[in-house]
C-alpha cells in the first residue's frame, strides 16, 4: 500500500474549501454508539472538565492543601510531594480545578523520553492562563532529571503567560529538587480514609454520618492505609453491598459485607470448587463468573461451548430428562433475577471464581481464551455483556501475562472479520480499557503509537481511529492527535476516515488545532508522500469554521508556523489546489475587527511566497477582488518590499572563498 495521499479522489476541491467541513465536524461530536465504541457525551475537553468537577465534589481535603493552593496561585507553580497512594495526583487536579477560570484550558503533560515528543515543556505550546498537570510520580531518575532541568526556564514562561503548573514529584527523588524551587514544594498528607469513603458515597446520593464507634472490621482495613484508588473501589463495593441488602442495614453492615467480599470470598471459592466433582458443573460455574449478569440464554449457550472446548461429555439422555437451567444454577450458587439475567447470590463471588480458575488451573488459560473468542460472536450476548466479558478477560490476563499478551490479543481481534464487526468491537473495547487503566495505560499508548506508523488493513485502522477518537481524546488528547496524524498519513489513496477524524477532533478545540499546526512545522516527515499529505492537511485546517484563527495570528510563534505551512503549500501543491483555500483565507481575515489581524494574515502569505513570483501575483489578484482599496494598497506595498529585498539579496556580491 502506498503512502501517497491520492489523486483525484483525494484532491481537495471547491466544495471542501468553502465550508463542507462543517458537516464532518458535527459528525464527530454526536453521542451514542454509531461505531465500535460509545461516543463521548460532549467534546473531549468538555468531558475532561466534567470529570474534574466530579473529582472535586468527592475530594476530601487533606492537611496542607490550602497552603499548596496559595503557593500555586501566587507563584504559578507548585510541587506536590507525598508517599505513594496518598492522593497527590488527585490533589493536583483539584488544585488546578479550583483556580479562577480564565481563557486557558486544562491539560495534562504526558511524560515521555526526551526527543520522542514535543511534550517536554515546550514554551510555544503554553497558552495564556493554561492550567497544566505534570505527574512525575512514576518516572525513573533519568526522566526526572530531564524534566527538572527544563523547569527552571519553563517557570518564566508560566509567569509571562499567567499559566499554572502543578508538578507531582517522584517521592524517591524529591530531595533533589533545585534550591530555586524549595519554597514551592508542599507535602500532601494522606486524607482521613473514612472521610474519603463518606465523600464518595455522598456523590452517589448516599448521605451518612460518621459512625461512632467505627466497626472493627472497617478500622482494621483503614489501618493498613490502602491507596486512595483502593478506597474508591471499596466505596463502589459498599454501594453494591447496600444494593444487595436492598438498602436495609446500617453503614457498618454495608462496610462489613463489602470488606468481606474483598477478603473472604477467595477462601469460600477455594473450599467450594473441590466439592463440584462434575466437569459440567464447573464449566457452568466458570461461565456464570465470566458472564455474570448476562441473560440466562447466553449463559446456557456459553456453558455448552466451554464443555465442547474442554472435551466434557454432554448429557446423552433425552432432553426432557436433563436437569433444568434453574436447578443447575442453584448447584453453583447462582440464580436468575426478575429480568432473566444470572447472578451469584453472594457479593463479588464472580470475581473470586474467575481468579480461582485462572490462578489454580494454568492449563485452562489457553482453552479459556479460545472460549472467549467464540462467545464474543454469540448472538444471544448483549453489547453491554460483550464489553464486560472483554474487560474481565483482560483483568485475568493482567494477573499473570502482562501487557504484551493483551496487546497481542487486541491485534488478533482487530485482524479478524466475521461480517458483523464483533471482533473489531472487542479489540476496540480492550484497547479502550487499557488506555483508561492507569496501571497499564502507558504500555497501551506506546503500542498504539507504534501501530499507527504501520501499513495496515482497514479493520485494525478502524479500531485505532475509534480508540483515539473516543477514548484517548478524553484522557490524552495531544497523544490522540499524534496517532491520528500518523494513521491519516498512512491511509491508502481515496480513503480518509483517519484524516476526517483528525480534522473533526482538532476543530473542537483551538488548543489542539494549534498543537497539530506545531507538529506540522516542528516534526515534518521525510517519508515519501508525507510532505504532500501534510500540505493538503494544512489546507483542510484552513477550512475549519472561523479560520484563519485570529488568536493564532496575534502570536509571533503561531504566525511563524502558519508562514512555514503556507511556504510548503506554494512549493509542493499546484496553483489550482491551493487557490480556493487562499481565497477563503483572505476573505476570513477580512472579517476581523482588528486591522492588525488583517495585516498579519496578509503578511503571512507574502512572506511565505517571497521566492515565488506566481504565488505573489495570485495573492495580489485574489486580494484585489476581496479587499478594500486601502488594504489592497498595503498588500501591494508589502509585496514590493519583499521583491526589493529579494533583488537586493540576489545582487549582493558573493564573498570570495577563504
Amino acid at each position: 500500500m502506498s503512502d501517497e495521499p491520492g489523486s483525484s479522489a483525494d484532491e481537495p476541491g471547491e466544495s471542501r474549501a468553502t465550508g463542507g467541513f462543517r458537516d464532518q465536524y458535527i459528525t464527530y461530536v454526536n453521542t451514542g454508539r454509531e461505531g465500535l465504541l460509545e461516543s463521548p457525551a460532549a467534546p473531549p475537553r468538555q468531558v475532561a472538565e466534567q470529570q474534574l468537577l466530579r473529582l472535586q465534589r468527592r475530594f476530601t481535603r487533606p492537611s496542607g492543601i490550602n497552603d499548596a493552593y496559595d503557593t500555586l496561585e501566587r507563584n504559578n507553580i507548585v510541587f506536590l510531594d507525598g508517599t505513594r497512594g496518598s492522593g497527590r495526583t488527585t490533589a493536583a487536579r483539584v488544585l488546578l480545578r479550583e483556580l479562577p477560570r480564565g481563557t486557558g484550558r486544562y491539560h495534562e503533560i504526558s511524560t515521555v523520553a526526551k526527543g520522542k515528543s514535543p511534550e517536554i515543556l515546550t514554551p510555544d505550546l503554553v497558552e495564556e492562563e493554561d492550567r497544566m498537570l505534570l505527574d512525575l510520580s512514576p518516572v525513573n531518575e533519568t526522566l526526572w532529571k530531564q524534566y527538572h532541568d527544563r523547569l527552571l526556564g519553563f517557570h518564566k514562561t508560566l509567569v509571562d503567560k499567567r499559566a499554572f503548573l502543578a508538578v507531582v514529584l517522584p517521592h524517591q527523588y524529591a530531595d533533589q529538587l533545585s534550591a530555586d524551587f524549595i519554597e514551592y514544594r508542599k507535602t500532601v498528607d494522606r486524607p482521613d480514609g473514612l472521610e474519603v469513603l463518606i465523600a464518595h458515597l455522598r456523590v452517589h446520593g448516599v448521605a451518612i454520618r460518621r459512625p461512632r464507634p467505627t466497626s472493627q472490621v472497617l478500622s482494621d482495613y483503614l489501618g493498613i492505609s490502602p491507596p486512595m484508588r483502593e478506597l474508591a473501589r471499596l466505596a463502589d463495593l459498599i454501594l453494591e453491598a447496600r444494593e444487595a441488602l436492598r438498602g436495609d442495614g446500617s453503614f457498618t453492615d454495608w462496610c462489613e459485607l463489602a470488606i468481606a467480599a474483598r477478603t473472604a470470598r477467595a477462601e469460600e471459592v477455594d473450599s467450594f470448587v473441590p466439592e463440584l466433582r462434575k466437569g459440567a458443573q464447573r464449566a457452568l460455574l466458570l461461565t456464570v463468573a465470566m458472564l455474570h449478569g448476562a441473560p440466562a440464554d447466553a449463559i446456557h449457550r456459553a456453558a455448552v461451548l466451554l464443555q465442547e472446548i474442554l472435551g466434557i461429555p454432554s448429557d446423552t439422555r433425552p432432553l426432557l430428562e436433563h436437569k433444568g437451567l434453574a436447578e443447575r444454577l442453584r448447584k453453583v450458587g447462582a440464580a436468575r433475577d426478575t429480568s432473566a439475567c444470572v447472578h451469584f447470590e453472594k457479593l463479588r463471588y464472580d470475581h473470586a471464581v474467575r481468579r480461582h480458575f485462572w490462578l489454580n488451573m494454568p492449563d485452562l488459560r489457553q482453552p479459556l481464551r479460545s472460549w472467549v473468542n467464540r462467545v464474543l460472536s454469540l448472538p444471544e450476548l448483549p453489547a453491554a455483556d460483550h464489553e464486560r466479558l472483554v474487560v474481565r478477560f483482560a483483568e485475568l490476563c493482567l494477573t499473570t501475562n502482562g501487557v504484551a499478551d493483551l496487546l497481542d490479543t487486541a491485534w488478533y481481534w482487530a485482524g479478524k472479520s466475521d461480517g458483523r464487526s464483533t471482533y473489531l468491537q472487542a479489540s476496540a473495547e480492550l484497547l479502550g480499557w487499557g488506555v483508561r487503566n492507569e496501571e497499564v495505560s502507558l504500555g497501551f499508548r506506546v503500542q498504539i503509537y507504534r501501530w499507527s506508523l504501520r501499513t495496515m488493513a482497514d479493520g485494525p485502522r478502524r479500531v485505532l481511529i475509534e480508540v483515539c477518537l473516543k477514548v484517548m481524546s478524553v484522557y490524552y488528547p495531544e497523544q490522540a492527535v499524534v496517532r491520528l496524524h500518523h494513521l491519516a498519513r498512512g491511509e491508502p489513496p481515496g480513503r480518509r476516515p483517519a484524516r476526517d477524524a483528525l480534522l473533526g477532533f482538532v476543530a473542537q478545540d483551538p488548543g489542539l488545532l494549534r498543537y497539530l499546526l506545531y507538529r506540522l512545522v516542528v516534526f515534518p516527515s521525510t517519508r515519501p508522500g508525507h510532505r504532500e499529505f501534510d500540505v493538503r492537511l494544512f489546507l483542510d485546517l484552513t477550512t475549519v469554521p472561523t479560520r484563519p484563527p485570529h488568536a493564532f495570528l496575534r502570536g509571533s510563534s503561531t504566525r511563524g508556523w502558519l508562514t512555514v505551512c503556507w511556504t510548503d503549500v506554494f512549493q509542493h501543491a499546484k496553483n489550482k489546489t491551493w487557490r480556493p483555500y487562499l481565497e477563503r483565507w483572505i476573505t476570513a481575515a477580512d472579517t476581523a475587527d482588528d486591522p492588525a489581524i488583517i495585516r498579519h494574515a496578509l503578511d503571512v502569505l507574502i512572506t511565505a511566497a517571497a521566492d515565488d513570483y506566481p504565488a505573489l501575483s495570485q495573492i495580489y489578484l485574489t486580494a484585489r477582488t476581496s479587499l478594500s482599496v486601502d488594504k489592497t494598497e498595503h498588500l501591494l506595498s508589502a509585496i514590493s518590499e519583499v521583491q526589493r529585498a529579494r533583488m537586493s539579496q540576489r545582487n549582493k556580491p558573493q564573498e570570495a572563498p577563504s
Side-chain angles (χ1 to χ4, degrees):
M1 182 176 65
S2 172
D3 282 331
E4 293 291 337
S7 54
S8 59
D10 199 39
E11 189 77 14
E14 195 76 29
S15 62
R16 189 169 300 280
T18 55
F21 180 72
R22 186 181 296 274
D23 293 334
Q24 299 167 20
Y25 164 61
I26 294 175
T27 298
Y28 287 103
V29 296
N30 279 343
T31 59
R33 191 163 192 147
E34 298 180 353
L36 303 175
L37 297 174
E38 196 80 19
S39 297
R45 289 294 185 189
Q46 186 176 333
V47 174
E49 288 288 352
Q50 292 169 352
Q51 291 176 339
L52 279 179
L53 178 59
R54 288 194 293 269
L55 187 66
Q56 183 183 18
R57 286 174 175 169
R58 66 174 184 260
F59 183 65
T60 302
R61 302 186 73 79
S63 61
I65 192 70
N66 292 338
D67 188 21
Y69 175 85
D70 292 340
T71 299
L72 177 61
E73 187 180 38
R74 283 196 306 265
N75 304 289
N76 303 86
I77 194 169
V78 67
F79 295 85
L80 299 183
D81 190 19
T83 57
R84 182 178 177 83
S86 62
R88 294 165 295 168
T89 305
T90 297
R93 292 186 175 112
V94 171
L95 287 177
L96 292 166
R97 166 72 191 179
E98 291 178 340
L99 288 168
R101 306 294 295 280
T103 58
R105 61 196 177 102
Y106 169 82
H107 57 112
E108 300 185 6
I109 301 175
S110 302
T111 51
V112 293
K114 187 174 182 179
K116 299 296 183 182
S117 166
E119 294 303 314
I120 293 193
L121 306 177
T122 302
D124 284 341
L125 293 178
V126 180
E127 299 180 72
E128 291 285 331
E129 299 181 329
D130 271 359
R131 294 164 292 134
M132 296 168 286
L133 170 67
L134 176 60
D135 184 4
L136 297 178
S137 59
V139 305
N140 58 32
E141 188 171 10
T142 300
L143 197 54
W144 151 248
K145 289 180 178 178
Q146 289 176 4
Y147 276 92
H148 180 273
D149 293 345
R150 295 288 297 272
L151 283 169
L152 289 170
F154 193 70
H155 185 213
K156 183 179 184 303
T157 299
L158 297 174
V159 175
D160 291 343
K161 297 189 177 182
R162 296 171 295 162
F164 300 90
L165 176 66
V167 182
V168 181
L169 291 172
H171 186 61
Q172 64 273 37
Y173 310 125
D175 290 338
Q176 300 177 10
L177 189 64
S178 168
D180 296 288
F181 288 140
I182 290 296
E183 63 179 307
Y184 308 143
R185 174 181 169 182
K186 301 299 173 183
T187 299
V188 175
D189 296 321
R190 178 186 175 83
D192 181 86
L194 184 53
E195 290 298 329
V196 171
L197 289 176
I198 292 174
H200 274 270
L201 297 176
R202 189 181 301 118
V203 168
H204 290 280
V206 182
I208 59 173
R209 295 180 179 179
R210 186 182 182 100
R212 297 188 185 281
T214 306
S215 75
Q216 189 60 47
V217 173
L218 182 57
S219 294
D220 291 344
Y221 178 79
L222 296 177
I224 64 175
S225 299
M228 290 297 106
R229 66 169 64 94
E230 291 300 323
L231 287 180
R233 291 169 182 166
L234 178 60
D236 292 337
L237 193 51
I238 290 172
L239 291 171
E240 289 185 39
R242 176 178 179 267
E243 184 177 350
L245 294 174
R246 294 177 174 82
D248 295 334
S250 64
F251 172 66
T252 296
D253 296 329
W254 307 336
C255 289
E256 291 182 353
L257 179 57
I259 293 172
R262 289 182 63 90
T263 58
R265 287 290 179 259
E267 296 177 6
E268 293 181 32
V269 171
D270 290 344
S271 300
F272 177 66
V273 172
E275 297 177 1
L276 296 176
R277 309 303 301 175
K278 297 180 179 179
Q281 290 178 324
R282 293 188 177 187
L284 181 60
L285 176 67
L286 180 53
T287 299
V288 174
M290 294 296 293
L291 298 176
H292 193 246
D297 284 357
I299 296 285
H300 170 72
R301 290 288 303 124
V304 171
L305 280 178
L306 186 56
Q307 285 186 227
E308 278 182 27
I309 290 171
L310 296 177
I312 300 172
S314 59
D315 194 336
T316 58
R317 293 177 299 172
L319 283 175
L320 289 178
E321 295 182 19
H322 291 188
K323 292 181 180 180
L325 181 59
E327 182 181 355
R328 291 187 287 127
L329 289 173
R330 279 198 301 272
K331 289 287 187 181
V332 299
R336 280 181 292 203
D337 60 19
T338 55
S339 60
C341 293
V342 178
H343 296 268
F344 283 117
E345 297 169 355
K346 296 179 180 179
L347 184 65
R348 304 288 277 194
Y349 203 74
D350 58 312
H351 291 254
V353 170
R354 291 195 295 270
R355 288 180 61 86
H356 172 89
F357 281 105
W358 188 265
L359 297 177
N360 288 287
M361 298 183 178
D363 292 339
L364 183 63
R365 294 170 192 166
Q366 188 55 46
L368 190 61
R369 183 186 304 275
S370 301
W371 174 81
V372 169
N373 287 338
R374 294 182 63 179
V375 170
L376 287 173
S377 61
L378 283 179
E380 297 91 345
L381 191 67
D385 294 295
H386 185 284
E387 184 169 3
R388 281 194 284 263
L389 175 60
V390 169
V391 171
R392 288 164 182 167
F393 180 68
E395 290 171 342
L396 289 176
C397 290
L398 196 59
T399 61
T400 54
N401 300 333
V403 172
D405 185 62
L406 288 174
L407 291 167
D408 288 344
T409 300
W411 191 252
Y412 170 73
W413 283 340
K416 288 174 67 70
S417 176
D418 63 352
R420 294 182 292 114
S421 301
T422 298
Y423 294 105
L424 295 183
Q425 181 180 330
S427 177
E429 288 165 346
L430 177 52
L431 292 176
W433 169 84
V435 169
R436 288 188 297 266
N437 189 315
E438 290 186 3
E439 297 177 18
V440 298
S441 179
L442 178 59
F444 272 73
R445 285 180 280 127
V446 168
Q447 186 58 55
I448 290 172
Y449 172 79
R450 291 170 179 162
W451 284 335
S452 72
L453 300 174
R454 294 184 184 178
T455 297
M456 66 187 76
D458 288 344
R461 183 183 299 106
R462 182 183 174 194
V463 167
L464 297 185
I465 291 171
E466 287 266 327
V467 173
C468 290
L469 192 61
K470 297 180 179 179
V471 181
M472 198 179 293
S473 63
V474 176
Y475 297 87
Y476 307 95
E478 285 83 6
Q479 294 188 26
V481 169
V482 172
R483 286 146 183 79
L484 287 171
H485 186 196
H486 286 304
L487 287 167
R489 280 171 167 171
E491 286 180 311
R495 302 296 303 277
R496 49 180 298 157
R499 180 174 176 174
D500 288 343
L502 174 61
L503 290 167
F505 180 41
V506 300
Q508 301 172 53
D509 187 334
L512 294 178
L513 195 152
R514 187 172 184 268
Y515 179 77
L516 178 56
L517 185 64
Y518 172 87
R519 280 189 54 79
L520 292 176
V521 173
V522 180
F523 293 92
S525 174
T526 57
R527 292 182 62 180
H530 283 192
R531 173 60 65 87
E532 291 77 9
F533 173 85
D534 284 350
V535 163
R536 289 174 175 170
L537 179 64
F538 169 71
L539 289 175
D540 274 343
L541 290 177
T542 67
T543 72
V544 175
T546 75
R547 303 298 185 257
H550 296 173
F552 290 1
L553 290 167
R554 294 187 195 281
S556 59
S557 59
T558 43
R559 287 201 303 273
W561 302 339
L562 291 168
T563 300
V564 172
C565 288
W566 272 113
T567 300
D568 284 346
V569 166
F570 296 138
Q571 291 179 352
H572 299 282
K574 296 178 180 178
N575 180 288
K576 67 178 182 179
T577 298
W578 53 254
R579 190 186 309 149
Y581 297 93
L582 174 68
E583 294 171 355
R584 182 182 177 90
W585 175 277
I586 292 175
T587 302
D590 195 32
T591 63
D593 296 330
D594 185 353
I597 292 296
I598 302 173
R599 289 197 301 272
H600 288 323
L602 298 177
D603 289 345
V604 162
L605 295 175
I606 295 166
T607 305
D611 295 324
D612 189 334
Y613 182 77
L616 284 173
S617 298
Q618 186 61 59
I619 292 170
Y620 177 70
L621 291 174
T622 303
R624 193 174 64 180
T625 61
S626 304
L627 301 177
S628 61
V629 174
D630 58 325
K631 295 171 185 173
T632 306
E633 288 180 354
H634 164 77
L635 179 67
L636 183 59
S637 175
I639 291 175
S640 299
E641 183 64 31
V642 165
Q643 289 179 312
R644 281 195 296 271
R646 186 178 61 179
M647 292 298 297
S648 175
Q649 183 65 29
R650 183 177 298 173
N651 295 331
K652 184 177 180 180
Q654 297 293 320
E655 294 184 5
S658 57

